Amino acid sequence: MTTAAEIEHLKQHGLYSTANEHDACGLGFVAHIKGVKRHDIVTQALKILENIDHRGAVGADKLMGDGAGILIQIPDALYREEMAKQGVTLPPAGEYGVGMIFLPKEHASRLACEQEMERAIKTEGQVLLGWRDVPVNRDMPMSPTVRTKEPILRQVFIGRGNDVIVQDALERKLYVIRKTASAAIQALKLKHSKEYYVPSMSSRTVVYKGLLLADQVGTYYLDLQDERCVSAVGLVHQRFSTNTFPEWPLAHPYRYVAHNGEINTVKGNYNWMKAREGVMSSPVLAADLQKLYPISFADQSDTATFDNCLELLTMAGYPISQAVMMMIPEPWEQHTTMDPRRRAFYEYHAAMLEPWDGPASIVFTDGRQIGATLDRNGLRPSRYCITDDDLVIMGSESGVLPVPENKIVRKWRLQPGKMFLIDLEQGRLIEDDELKANIVNTKPYKQWIENLRIKLDSIETGEAAATPAAASLPLLDRQQAFGYTQEDIKFLMAPMARNGEEGIGSMGNDSPLAVLSGKNKPLYNYFKQLFAQVTNPPIDPIREAIVMSLNSFIGPKPNLLDINQVNPPMRLEVSQPVLDFDDMAKLRDIARHTQGKFHSATIDITYPLSWGREGVEAKLASLCAQAVDAIKGGSNILIISDRGVSATQVAIPALLALSAIHQHLVREGLRTTAGLVVETGTAREVHHFAVLAGYGAEAVHPYLASETLADMH
């Protein structure tokens, strides 16, 4: 087993990166539709966990897996009686929160972490009621490696302050306490601070999890064996990490979700969330919002990052089901029979938040509702049954909990992009159609879109712009300047022009890695696209046409936490992100076409040849300053252009210029106030467009590729 010290060494001196961690696991839950809390629901959930044992990973050490856990509602009677033994009287249920905390074994570090937690509670005006040592079974067989990593497990009990009236407000305060305490502990830079982790802190739910095998969770945590431990839901998860090192905090469930599969788009989702941090505002979270940054950390797993985003949306006032619909939208653009109001909902939120896409089955809960959804392709299984005594049993496969057939009133599977929800307070199961109809009809999304949307395709220019402007250099000279080769034109571009698709070649690529090659390579070649690390079935072209979309938005992004649409920006929509000469003519004159709602500015990324090698660095610095000046001057679309290349002007690689401007605007808190369009002679392969999109481009105009194809024709 690899130790934490070895992992750190591999990060610094080897090729290991936590960014490559992925998982495909087993999950399930038991829930009582009427919200009746019982101990046998907890025991049945643990039985599901044992029955999906085959979905978890076990190595050469048979006593060590990748982690498992359970999420339940707070067992008030159990905690009340146990805290009374310490002389602590808990407030009524719902008026106090419980934080489950992993703490370092080292005494001084543990005390420092506890002090920071107590300080955060006091700073936020809440009441520290007391601490409780979580009882665990020290005598059970456990791997020596797991025992070495085992944290000290304690619970902190937090009462509501005088400024908190309702339970939702207490939940938000607990959220702020957890985030600020964690940030303060990180700032201390304690030797053992990485051992600190908060699996849950809520007035509704509590998470028991760890680096345990499926059948060890119920044995290790003695609370789960206690008859007073009652809950109306039991959400369990057994982890199979295909590309990661097992750790206590990485076990599921997280605070809101458990997940079987992989979020392929997590890197982009994380980066855009970070870009939004400078401009988000929330009428619900108000001044507390600034205390929550960063929302996620770069070294977290895909599920943890997803959970952080869902938590933010829920705390900002979105119902949890709506937040999940925003994050994992069903395919809507090509869905001709979809209710227009539902389509308007998805279209409205498409500009607010990027889809969290990938093969995934996700179960989510806030303690009042529990639901599940499937990715738009349906690449992960989720099956459920309903019994005649109001239990819903869901799992990543059928038969996770033995139930007599005569007790089952319905059994079915979750379908691609669909969702179902159990509302424990209403005491009923809500199907996909009703659930989404309730959400999409709450606000006039269709009217909002019509008021905000401008389609670039619908703008009339009144002049022909299908031919490029006169260039300062002949076509061949510009092709050479941008590194075109005969192979590019013959084997890559010609087949695309002829057939409208990428040229088909033999499998594999035996050309040297760009970094090892002795030839000059385009900057794009130094990058590789990220693909799923877990097995997925091939998608047929018919289904792919339904679930894939090229629709893109250029310009300012709306405030993600603006629930009531207060001063939203206009949105410029393009049917696909590769722009032609007509589109660019419209963009350059966009202020006139949109009555001043959009203003574009062109940033020239060429520099004088006489500047020499140092010119690149000097020009990048000035580009970043120009971008900020343009935005502060009122421009909300920046065109990054290398059209100025000539015998005396050298172009910075468009990818380098784009990423420099994008990252600078993120740091300045301005990235979501403007759109970035790249006008470049370098982009000619599908991979080039993918890399540009990955580093912040909302649209690309490959003018030289278009001129080359026109010349070939």
Side-chain angles (χ1 to χ4, degrees), residues 221-236:
Y221 286 108
L222 300 179
D223 282 352
L224 300 175
Q225 303 170 21
D226 197 304
E227 290 290 336
R228 297 169 296 174
C229 184
V230 296
S231 174
V233 298
L235 168 58
V236 294

Side-chain angles (χ1 to χ4, degrees), residues 304-544:
T305 310
F306 182 97
D307 187 74
N308 289 336
C309 180
L310 179 61
E311 183 177 38
L312 175 69
L313 294 176
T314 306
M315 291 298 177
Y318 288 105
I320 191 168
S321 51
Q322 179 176 343
V324 173
M325 282 178 69
M326 291 165 61
M327 293 178 71
I328 309 180
E330 60 185 309
W332 57 271
E333 193 180 21
Q334 313 296 335
H335 194 330
T336 54
T337 59
M338 181 179 281
D339 177 359
R341 290 167 296 185
R342 192 190 295 192
R343 178 194 295 272
F345 171 89
Y346 287 123
E347 189 172 358
Y348 176 77
H349 289 100
M352 295 183 76
L353 187 66
E354 305 73 35
W356 293 65
D357 215 357
S361 168
I362 291 184
V363 177
F364 55 90
T365 181
D366 60 0
R368 296 174 298 181
Q369 299 176 326
I370 184 166
T373 190
L374 215 56
D375 67 272
R376 62 175 69 189
N377 289 303
L379 295 177
R380 285 292 176 271
S382 280
R383 298 184 177 275
Y384 65 91
C385 69
I386 304 170
T387 66
D388 58 7
D389 55 353
D390 290 324
L391 286 184
V392 178
I393 301 159
M394 199 215 87
S396 42
E397 57 206 278
S398 296
V400 290
L401 191 66
V403 179
E405 283 293 327
N406 63 340
K407 289 184 66 67
I408 296 174
V409 296
R410 183 184 173 199
K411 65 167 71 168
W412 190 226
R413 63 181 176 85
L414 211 53
Q415 295 173 293
K418 302 300 182 183
M419 183 188 299
F420 82 99
L421 187 78
I422 301 156
D423 191 309
L424 303 170
E425 293 179 345
Q426 291 185 31
R428 66 192 192 97
L429 187 147
I430 308 173
E431 301 282 1
D432 182 82
D433 284 341
E434 181 189 353
L435 171 64
K436 290 176 178 174
N438 288 340
I439 292 170
V440 303
N441 291 329
T442 54
K443 295 191 170 64
Y445 294 111
K446 192 170 178 56
Q447 180 186 332
W448 286 357
I449 287 173
E450 289 168 357
N451 293 343
L452 294 172
R453 180 181 59 193
I454 297 173
K455 289 191 174 183
L456 192 66
D457 292 346
S458 65
I459 294 175
E460 297 293 336
T461 58
E463 58 200 33
T467 54
S472 58
L473 289 175
L475 178 62
L476 180 60
D477 289 354
R478 286 182 293 139
Q479 287 172 338
Q480 290 175 331
F482 287 113
Y484 276 59
T485 64
Q486 290 290 343
E487 287 79 7
D488 285 337
I489 295 172
K490 184 176 180 181
F491 297 115
L492 294 173
M493 300 180 69
M496 283 195 286
R498 251 193 323 267
N499 307 320
E501 59 188 36
E502 281 188 88
I504 297 175
S506 61
M507 188 172 181
N509 183 352
D510 59 357
S511 58
L513 293 173
V515 71
L516 301 177
S517 175
K519 303 287 185 183
N520 289 325
K521 299 278 187 178
L523 184 59
Y524 305 108
N525 290 20
Y526 289 82
F527 296 84
K528 298 289 183 186
Q529 293 177 50
L530 296 176
F531 291 99
Q533 300 297 305
V534 289
T535 307
N536 296 316
I539 301 174
D540 62 85
I542 296 173
R543 192 199 307 178
E544 192 170 71

Side-chain angles (χ1 to χ4, degrees), residues 623-645:
L623 288 178
C624 294
Q626 283 180 53
V628 172
D629 290 344
I631 292 173
K632 290 183 175 176
S635 297
N636 51 18
I637 296 175
L638 305 184
I639 301 170
I640 298 168
S641 176
D642 56 24
R643 264 190 178 278
V645 70

Side-chain angles (χ1 to χ4, degrees), residues 629-699:
D629 290 344
I631 292 173
K632 290 183 175 176
S635 297
N636 51 18
I637 296 175
L638 305 184
I639 301 170
I640 298 168
S641 176
D642 56 24
R643 264 190 178 278
V645 70
S646 69
T648 59
Q649 289 289 115
V650 181
I652 292 178
L655 176 61
L656 182 61
L658 165 71
S659 59
I661 291 171
H662 171 77
Q663 297 293 348
H664 183 72
L665 294 180
V666 169
R667 286 191 296 270
E668 295 293 312
L670 295 171
R671 178 59 187 91
T672 57
T673 62
L676 299 181
V677 176
V678 179
E679 181 182 50
T680 180
T682 59
R684 51 193 178 269
E685 297 180 36
V686 172
H687 174 67
H688 299 172
F689 294 94
V691 180
L692 288 169
Y695 281 87
E698 283 146 48

Side-chain angles (χ1 to χ4, degrees), residues 161-230:
N162 295 327
D163 58 336
V164 172
I165 307 299
V166 296
Q167 192 174 5
D168 283 348
L170 177 58
E171 284 288 299
R172 285 191 289 273
K173 278 297 176 188
L174 294 172
Y175 178 38
V176 174
I177 288 167
R178 193 192 85 233
K179 295 286 284 186
T180 53
S182 298
I185 290 165
Q186 289 281 337
L188 290 177
K189 297 189 173 164
L190 301 168
K191 184 178 179 181
H192 300 277
S193 62
K194 287 190 176 178
E195 297 172 37
Y196 167 87
Y197 178 73
V198 184
S200 65
M201 183 173 282
S202 171
S203 63
R204 296 188 176 107
T205 59
V206 62
V207 173
Y208 290 85
K209 69 177 185 178
L211 193 54
L212 303 165
L213 297 171
D215 59 358
Q216 289 180 330
V217 175
T219 307
Y220 180 75
Y221 286 108
L222 300 179
D223 282 352
L224 300 175
Q225 303 170 21
D226 197 304
E227 290 290 336
R228 297 169 296 174
C229 184
V230 296

Side-chain angles (χ1 to χ4, degrees), residues 237-315:
H237 187 278
Q238 165 74 342
R239 190 161 183 260
F240 188 107
S241 53
T242 54
N243 206 12
T244 182
F245 297 104
E247 295 290 348
W248 281 75
L250 289 177
H252 298 213
Y254 284 88
R255 299 170 192 104
Y256 278 78
V257 302
H259 170 214
N260 167 28
E262 178 182 22
I263 305 294
N264 292 337
T265 59
V266 64
K267 196 165 190 178
N269 298 131
Y270 165 79
N271 287 336
W272 278 114
M273 183 59 70
K274 188 171 179 60
R276 287 187 177 92
E277 288 180 3
V279 295
M280 282 194 298
S281 61
S282 167
V284 177
L285 292 167
D288 283 342
L289 181 61
Q290 298 301 316
K291 304 173 188 175
L292 305 175
Y293 298 148
I295 301 301
S296 296
F297 296 93
D299 59 351
Q300 288 183 300
S301 69
D302 58 341
T303 319
T305 310
F306 182 97
D307 187 74
N308 289 336
C309 180
L310 179 61
E311 183 177 38
L312 175 69
L313 294 176
T314 306
M315 291 298 177

